[in-house]
Amino acid sequence: MPAPRTREQPRVPGERRPLLPRGVQGPRRWRRAAGAAVLLVEMLERAAFFGITANLVLYLNSTNFNWAGEQASRAALVFLGASYLLAPVGGWLADVYLGRYRAVALSLLLYLAASGLLPATAFPDGRSSFCGEMPASPLGPACPSPDCPRASPSPYCAPVLYAGLLLIGLAASSVRSNLTSFGADQVMDLGRDATRRFFNWFYWSINLGAVLSLLVVAFIQQNISFLLGYSIPVGCVGLAFFIFLFATPVFITKPPMGSQVSSMLKLALQNCCPQLWQRHLARDHQGARLLPDQRSPQPGASPQEDIANFQVLVKILPVMVTLVPYWMVYFQMQSTYVLQGLHLHIPNIFPANPSNISMALRAQGSSYTIPEAWLLLANVVVVLILVPLKDRLIDPLLLRCKLLPSALQKMALGMFFGFTSVIVAGVLEMERLHYIHHNQTVSQEIGEVLYNAAPLSIWWQIPQYLLIGISEIFASIPGLEFAYSEAPRSMQGAIMGIFFCLSGVGSLLGSSLVALLSLPGGWLHCPEDFGNINNCRMDLYFFLLAGIQAVTALLFVWIAGRYERVSQGPASHSCFSRDRG
């Protein structure tokens, strides 16, 4: 049986392809090698990213900085949001100036430099060099009543840490938005099925990197040293940078083709504010008339193509915007889920005296506590198991039976699992607070910080992590596939950037909600319980997120059904199908 022929994509002016041996198997083998190199780079970059985020709340909450619990959670959410929200910046730079290859290489270099700030602030001399000396707590009169409010102190070293985290977020978002499309470019010649499978394995490599990071880095950070624990992510980024440069000869690289962002903005202004658009044309009429004579002609989309692409964007955006509340729920597993876990009983890996476990749960010098970040492994292991099972068994079987759901149907199912995850978290928090209010607490020392925890085992968090992992399979992976496949080829980078940007919007909305509820009178305002959350009502916060997710999931189902009906019409096939990636 002859091997299937590869589909050769039309060449782009300035595109560089590697010199490959003639025949079918040669190009296919090298295309797979290029795709594998991209997956390896992504795995190492994600290992570094999860190494930074896994214990960020604990790091900021430790005696190194003494941030309050809500301050540390807010910083983690801001960092996670920035790492997605800034994705269009990296995509725009790649489209206009750098190209995807150079954008990824320079982003990894920035990543390497910025991530060095965390180990530099993990030891006293480095902290004093970057942040100055930690201010002493001000002395004042005692609080006359137990209910009087106390203002939380300004977090130590906040400007330096926020600047470093934002630079890491910019680098990570640029790598994410460009490496995804860059990897898909490497296997595009192998057909649409190869592109779909690439996204499955791309997500699998993300979670493999997370496993390596959580098993090793999180354990070292919590039990040995933050200095060593944050040095490992720096090494991972350096190795990823080396592999990316080493694999350059087998990569397909494309030159920057210009960005359609300005065209889309002009069309949006023309449709939404016609009077303002007419004033803009009248003011800039002479410059618009002289501009073509002052520059050399460049390849770009025609006005008709701009209008067609704008219509596609208008159809796709409502689908992606209604995913934002899902991302609000998703990013809780790296912020408030972590904070909740620190206030549950975290057992020792090697208990010094098992018979005395019920009396004192403080970590002994001769034993190590299980890293709270290991709970993320429940989410990651689900993805690592289900992605190959789905790719090799479930999807082919459903395809043969003509029962394979569409990407939008999978995304709706993912929203349901996200909803159930945050409901389970809220119920667990209610039970935890029940123990706290009956003075059934134990003390445990995690990362040199003493927490007053409920005697509930941290393993009760596993269901909410499992559910959020299942939701990833059905919401995030099909979301990537939808953003790449439904976009016109000339807008794939921009729409992938918008997809990741909206993910960041979800994280920042979650951070804003935490900040709002931390104001006096809010559910998360508990300054008298500095460093702990035992006087907060995080359960109500989780239930509020569940309600927001439920309402927008119903809206998503309606919008997705309308989108699929419009896409199946004859007009959509005649206008856009030949331009899809």
Side-chain angles (χ1 to χ4, degrees):
M1 179 178 173
R5 298 181 60 187
T6 59
R7 184 184 59 171
E8 184 72 17
Q9 295 295 327
R11 288 288 187 95
V12 176
E15 177 180 328
R16 188 192 67 81
R17 286 175 174 258
L19 294 176
L20 301 176
R22 292 185 177 274
V24 175
Q25 292 302 323
R28 290 180 65 87
R29 183 170 63 250
W30 287 105
R31 289 301 92 239
R32 289 170 178 167
V38 170
L39 295 180
L40 185 57
V41 170
E42 178 64 15
M43 183 194 73
L44 290 169
E45 186 273 329
R46 289 290 91 186
F49 184 81
F50 280 99
I52 292 170
T53 60
N55 278 321
L56 184 59
V57 171
L58 180 61
Y59 182 54
L60 299 177
N61 200 206
S62 68
T63 54
N64 291 336
F65 300 99
N66 286 331
W67 287 27
E70 59 90 14
Q71 291 172 338
S73 292
R74 195 188 314 165
L77 285 170
V78 168
F79 170 62
L80 290 168
S83 67
Y84 287 86
L85 191 65
L86 296 174
V89 177
W92 179 79
L93 288 173
D95 288 342
V96 177
Y97 297 110
L98 301 174
R100 289 171 186 165
Y101 171 81
R102 290 179 182 173
V104 172
L106 292 176
S107 299
L108 287 173
L109 194 59
L110 175 62
Y111 209 140
L112 185 61
S115 59
L117 179 67
L118 291 174
T121 56
F123 63 99
D125 290 341
R127 267 195 311 279
S128 60
S129 298
F130 282 98
C131 312
E133 297 298 329
M134 182 182 294
S137 299
L139 297 177
C143 185
S145 68
D147 296 329
C148 67
R150 290 187 299 171
S152 298
S154 177
Y156 168 63
C157 200
V160 173
L161 288 174
Y162 269 109
L165 290 174
L166 288 176
L167 284 177
I168 297 173
L170 174 61
S173 65
S174 181
V175 170
R176 181 183 293 112
S177 61
N178 289 302
L179 192 62
T180 309
S181 301
F182 183 77
D185 289 342
Q186 308 307 311
V187 300
M188 187 182 295
D189 290 349
L190 303 181
R192 189 182 182 93
D193 184 64
T195 303
R196 179 187 63 80
R197 296 186 64 188
F198 170 79
F199 282 117
N200 281 337
W201 289 105
F202 187 85
Y203 218 84
W204 190 85
S205 65
I206 289 174
N207 286 273
L208 181 60
V211 164
L212 298 176
S213 181
L214 294 174
L215 282 176
V216 179
V217 179
F219 176 85
I220 292 174
Q221 289 170 344
Q222 182 166 313
N223 291 287
I224 300 177
S225 166
F226 276 111
L227 174 60
L228 179 59
Y230 276 128
S231 298
I232 296 175
V234 179
C236 289
V237 176
L239 183 57
F241 183 57
F242 172 77
I243 291 173
F244 189 76
L245 295 182
F246 184 77
T248 299
V250 298
F251 284 150
I252 295 175
T253 60
K254 298 179 179 180
M257 297 297 295
S259 175
Q260 291 187 310
V261 173
S262 58
S263 299
M264 296 297 103
L265 291 176
K266 288 177 182 178
L267 286 170
L269 182 64
Q270 186 176 354
N271 283 273
C272 299
C273 308
Q275 295 180 351
L276 183 62
W277 174 252
Q278 291 297 330
R279 288 200 299 269
H280 170 76
L281 286 180
R283 185 175 64 252
D284 295 339
H285 178 70
Q286 183 178 2
R289 179 164 45 86
L290 295 177
L291 184 61
D293 298 329
Q294 298 174 354
R295 64 180 182 182
S296 58
Q298 297 180 354
S302 65
Q304 292 78 13
E305 290 173 324
D306 282 339
I307 293 174
N309 291 338
F310 180 72
Q311 291 172 347
V312 172
L313 184 63
V314 168
K315 289 200 305 180
I316 292 176
L317 268 182
V319 175
M320 296 196 292
V321 167
T322 46
L323 265 180
V324 167
Y326 166 77
W327 297 117
M328 291 177 66
V329 171
Y330 173 81
F331 286 116
Q332 300 306 311
M333 72 173 178
Q334 292 169 315
S335 55
T336 53
Y337 282 14
V338 174
L339 199 59
Q340 182 187 49
L342 292 172
H343 295 82
L344 296 170
H345 168 213
I346 303 178
N348 293 340
I349 299 177
F350 306 110
N353 189 356
S355 63
N356 294 330
I357 278 278
S358 60
M359 297 176 57
L361 297 172
R362 181 176 299 192
Q364 305 295 322
S366 59
S367 63
Y368 295 120
T369 57
I370 292 175
E372 199 284 331
W374 277 9
L375 269 293
L376 286 170
L377 289 173
N379 161 271
V380 171
V381 168
V382 167
V383 177
L384 289 178
I385 293 174
L386 289 185
V387 164
L389 189 66
K390 179 175 175 291
D391 182 70
R392 298 284 185 177
L393 181 63
I394 299 176
D395 280 357
L397 179 63
L398 292 176
L399 191 59
R400 283 198 299 269
C401 299
K402 298 182 179 180
L403 296 174
L404 186 66
S406 67
L408 294 177
Q409 291 169 338
K410 294 176 187 175
M411 290 157 70
L413 187 59
M415 287 183 171
F416 170 75
F417 283 111
F419 166 81
T420 55
S421 172
V422 78
I423 285 288
V424 169
V427 172
L428 177 61
E429 182 65 12
M430 286 180 61
E431 187 66 19
R432 193 192 71 81
L433 290 175
H434 176 76
Y435 282 95
I436 297 297
H437 294 158
H438 286 80
N439 294 322
Q440 299 179 23
T441 62
V442 291
S443 298
Q444 59 185 10
E445 189 175 322
I446 307 295
E448 301 180 356
V449 176
L450 188 65
Y451 291 94
N452 297 319
L456 278 172
S457 174
I458 196 174
W459 304 125
W460 284 105
Q461 278 194 311
I462 288 180
Q464 65 201 54
Y465 280 100
L466 288 176
L467 288 167
I468 206 71
I470 296 172
S471 77
E472 270 192 273
I473 301 289
F474 291 102
S476 190
I477 299 177
L480 280 173
E481 181 186 347
F482 173 81
Y484 184 83
S485 61
E486 293 299 308
R489 189 171 299 147
S490 59
M491 289 188 65
Q492 284 172 341
I495 290 184
M496 291 294 285
I498 291 172
F499 176 82
F500 289 122
C501 176
L502 291 175
S503 306
V505 169
S507 179
L508 291 180
L509 285 177
S511 174
S512 301
L513 189 58
V514 168
L516 181 64
L517 295 177
S518 299
L519 296 175
W523 295 333
L524 300 181
H525 179 71
C526 44
E528 70 278 359
D529 193 24
F530 182 77
N532 287 272
I533 56 169
N534 293 334
N535 289 321
C536 298
R537 293 302 307 271
M538 194 178 287
D539 54 335
L540 299 180
Y541 170 70
F542 287 142
F543 292 139
L544 176 61
L545 285 177
I548 295 172
Q549 174 67 100
V551 171
T552 51
L554 295 175
L555 180 62
F556 176 86
V557 169
W558 179 77
I559 291 175
R562 187 169 176 269
Y563 179 89
E564 289 187 331
R565 286 193 299 271
V566 172
S567 298
Q568 291 170 0
S572 62
H573 291 286
S574 61
C575 293
F576 310 120
S577 60
R578 70 177 185 273
D579 293 328
R580 300 280 172 84

